[in-house]
């Protein structure tokens, strides 16, 4: 169905790196090294939120989301005062 195709498109923006959990706001760029990949392909909190909400609206069960990786990124993005930085 078209919902499944849209969900697949959204999942294509999910970071495959466990220590960079979340979703990109652009198609992932392939770099020559993992170091360049980590520096230049960064999930973003707003993109992650929008991706998760979109998947829920589409009826997805979020089973494919690496929740531990997203949780780890949220912890990295959260500041001492409880607010969040963008990356």
């Amino acid at each position: 169905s078209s919902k499944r195709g849209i969900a697949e498109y959204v999942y294509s923006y999910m970071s495959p790196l466990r220590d960079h959990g979340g979703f990109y706001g652009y198609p992932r760029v392939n770099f020559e090294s993992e170091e360049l990949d980590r520096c230049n392909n960064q999930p973003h909190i707003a993109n992650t939120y929008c991706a998760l909400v979109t998947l829920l609206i589409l009826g997805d069960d979020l089973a494919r989301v690496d929740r531990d990786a997203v949780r780890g990124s949220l912890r990295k993005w959260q500041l001492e005062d409880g607010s969040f930085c963008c990356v």
Side-chain angles (χ1 to χ4, degrees):
S1 75
S2 63
K3 284 184 179 183
R4 180 172 292 244
I6 295 168
E8 288 302 317
Y9 175 76
V10 172
Y11 274 115
S12 75
Y13 284 71
M14 187 169 60
S15 171
L17 304 172
R18 290 209 37 100
D19 61 341
H20 278 74
F23 288 79
Y24 306 117
Y26 50 85
R28 189 164 176 249
V29 179
N30 290 318
F31 288 94
E32 299 138 14
S33 71
E34 185 174 323
E35 180 182 357
L36 284 173
D37 186 22
R38 289 177 183 281
C39 289
N40 293 290
N41 286 318
Q42 298 264 341
H44 191 281
I45 192 169
N47 300 328
T48 299
Y49 172 78
C50 289
L52 294 173
V53 169
T54 299
L55 290 168
L56 289 171
I57 289 170
L58 293 169
D60 190 84
D61 64 3
L62 305 180
R64 293 171 48 192
V65 173
D66 186 339
R67 293 168 192 243
D68 290 334
V70 172
R71 187 178 303 113
S73 288
L74 286 172
R75 285 188 182 123
K76 285 192 299 189
W77 296 331
Q78 190 168 25
L79 304 175
E80 286 186 26
D81 66 3
S83 65
F84 289 87
C85 66
C86 63
V87 175

